Every structure is written in structure tokens, then in C-alpha cells.
Amino acid sequence: MKKIVLSLMAVAALTALTSCSKKEKKAGDGASASGKTWIVATDTAFRPFEYTNENNEFVGIDVDILAAVAKDQGFSYDLQSLGWDGGVAAVQVGQADALIAGATIKQERIDSGWIFSDGYYNATQTFVVAANSSISKFDDLKGKKVAVKNGTAGMDFANKLKSKYGYDVVVFEDSPTMYQDVILGNSDACVEDTPIMAANIKDAKLGLKIPAGMESEGAPYGFAIMDKKNQELLDMFNAGLKNIRADGTYQKILDKYLK
């Protein structure tokens, strides 16, 4: 069954890339050693890291960091908005060279072939409930349903605690659908990266809230490749990230979306 699912994901990713993604962006002058345009996959809705704004522009922290790094290092890229599962599958089957989508650096992914850059943002995961919910601590989740997004650190966090606190986990393929399941009362809580949830509640005015003290210890996000032949791109990302941190560009990007 896992092989069938992976094959379907690969076909979907190939179809999306062939027919053109939702948004594309190129930067730099193609001055990398290979002289190629790198294909970078990303998610579709993971505010404030990647999302479509009111002007129908694809924007976010990941989008701006990649642009700044590409400018610093002089390489060209094509950013493909494929969704989380589609983006991962595209890189796995070689239809994209790398992924930037708020991907938490974790050992399980490294063991399965992900090759990460240096961390570019540290994030915790948190439980989130409806705005009128009385849930305020982990013990309140007993017998409840907790929504998670497939293949994420939030899903790992929820699964780690479900036996201890006695709740059931329901899996979704994207964040907006997961949020709506909680807002509609089908699930009692969901688990999401804290900065993502805080931004969505504030900017999209979602009927959700973040209870204090229901977050993880946190881990860094990384830019990722899954084929060593793309090491050049990973090395450029690390070098560019170091430079934009040093010259203040990185902090300006964070301030733009988080303040």
C-alpha cells in the first residue's frame, strides 16, 4: 500500500510540474557552476512562510529567504507551489531539485534520505483549539479528536502524546482543511507550527486560539535536497544564508512577516 501511495504522489507531482505550478519565480543571473535553473518545490498555504496574499502574489518568509539567497549567490531558480505532499514527492522522484516549505530538520527524515541545509528558523509546534473551546491543558484532550497535517513535525508531536493523554488523531493533507475541521467542531484541536498558527489567527482572523503551555520544545526548519548531485545548490543556500544573516537582510525578512 505504501508503494502505491508513493507512486500516486509521484504522478501527481510530475503532472503538477508539467502543467505549470500555481506560482513561479526566478532570480539571480545563473552564475552557479552548473549554470542551471534549479527547480525548488514549496507548499501552497503555510502562512507566513508561503501563501498567496490579497494581491494574488505568492509571498512569505521562505519565498523571500530563497530570493535573497539566490541574489547573494547568483543562481537562478523556478519556485513551484505544489503543496506539502506534492512537493516532497517531486523532490523524491527527481522532478524538483530541492524543497523549502517550513520543513523541520529531524532524524527520521535524515535517515530516509533528506539532506538538510543549516537551520534557518527555529519553531515549536503547538496544540490549537476553537476560540470558544474550554480546552486549556493536555489532560483536557482525553477522549477528543486531534487533527494533524500528514508527514509534519506537528503530527509527530501529536502522536507522541496521544497514548498518554488518550485522544485520537485524524490526518489531513493540508493546513487550511485541518483548521476548518476544528472550527466546524469535527475535531477538538489541531497541531501546527506555532508561528504559522499565530500568523493565521491574526491575519486570516481564524476562530482559533493557542492555549498556553501546550507547545513542543521546538526544532529548526531547513532547506532540503534528496539527491547528492544537488549538493551545489545546498552549499550555495548555506553560504547565502550566512551572508544574509550577517548583512541584516534575514532579520528584515522576519520582521516583515512576524511583526
Side-chain angles (χ1 to χ4, degrees):
M1 179 60 74
K2 289 183 179 179
K3 291 183 179 179
I4 294 174
V5 171
L6 180 57
S7 296
L8 291 173
M9 289 168 61
V11 170
L14 176 58
T15 301
L17 282 167
T18 302
S19 63
C20 187
S21 64
K22 180 180 179 183
K23 292 286 178 180
E24 295 183 0
K25 181 174 183 176
K26 294 183 179 180
D29 58 10
S32 64
S34 64
K36 68 179 289 183
T37 295
W38 302 91
I39 298 175
V40 181
T42 188
D43 205 344
T44 54
F46 198 53
R47 184 189 295 261
F49 285 84
E50 45 264 344
Y51 64 100
T52 302
N53 67 13
E54 61 275 8
N55 297 319
N56 203 34
E57 300 166 328
F58 195 61
V59 298
I61 293 172
D62 284 349
V63 178
D64 286 7
I65 285 178
L66 180 59
V69 166
K71 181 179 180 181
D72 179 84
Q73 293 294 298
F75 67 82
S76 296
Y77 67 95
D78 185 350
L79 185 62
Q80 299 278 345
S81 175
L82 303 175
W84 173 259
D85 285 340
V88 172
V91 181
Q92 287 175 332
V93 302
Q95 296 301 322
D97 301 305
L99 176 76
I100 185 165
T104 301
I105 299 173
K106 54 182 182 176
Q107 193 60 47
E108 178 185 355
R109 287 176 177 160
I110 294 171
D111 291 343
S112 66
W114 295 50
I115 306 170
F116 282 104
S117 69
D118 298 333
Y120 66 84
Y121 185 87
N122 288 317
T124 60
Q125 287 73 49
T126 186
F127 280 74
V128 183
V129 299
N132 61 355
S133 175
S134 61
I135 294 172
S136 62
K137 57 186 181 300
F138 291 123
D139 288 332
D140 295 335
L141 294 170
K142 186 175 182 179
K144 307 293 187 182
K145 290 183 179 180
V146 174
V148 300
K149 181 178 171 183
N150 188 40
T152 62
M155 185 173 98
D156 293 343
F157 185 40
N159 283 333
K160 180 180 178 181
L161 298 178
K162 69 178 181 180
S163 295
K164 181 176 181 180
Y165 293 106
Y167 55 78
D168 294 322
V169 169
V170 183
V171 181
F172 292 86
E173 298 302 320
D174 62 82
S175 294
T177 306
M178 177 178 70
Y179 303 155
Q180 284 302 311
D181 204 62
V182 178
I183 292 170
L184 294 173
N186 298 321
S187 290
D188 302 284
C190 64
V191 185
E192 181 66 283
D193 291 22
T194 308
I196 309 305
M197 202 67 259
N200 274 282
I201 291 173
K202 176 184 175 182
D203 298 336
K205 296 179 173 57
L206 296 181
L208 299 169
K209 65 181 179 181
I210 303 173
M214 296 184 72
E215 68 278 347
S216 67
E217 293 182 0
Y221 290 160
F223 181 83
I225 62 172
M226 300 180 197
D227 190 325
K228 291 182 179 179
K229 72 179 183 181
N230 296 323
Q231 186 65 43
E232 177 194 359
L233 177 58
L234 194 70
D235 291 342
M236 288 191 294
F237 184 88
N238 282 334
L241 179 63
K242 182 178 180 180
N243 289 342
I244 67 170
R245 284 185 189 274
D247 69 14
T249 300
Y250 171 83
Q251 190 57 51
K252 288 180 181 178
I253 292 171
L254 292 190
D255 291 346
K256 175 181 176 181
Y257 292 99
L258 298 178
K259 283 192 174 181

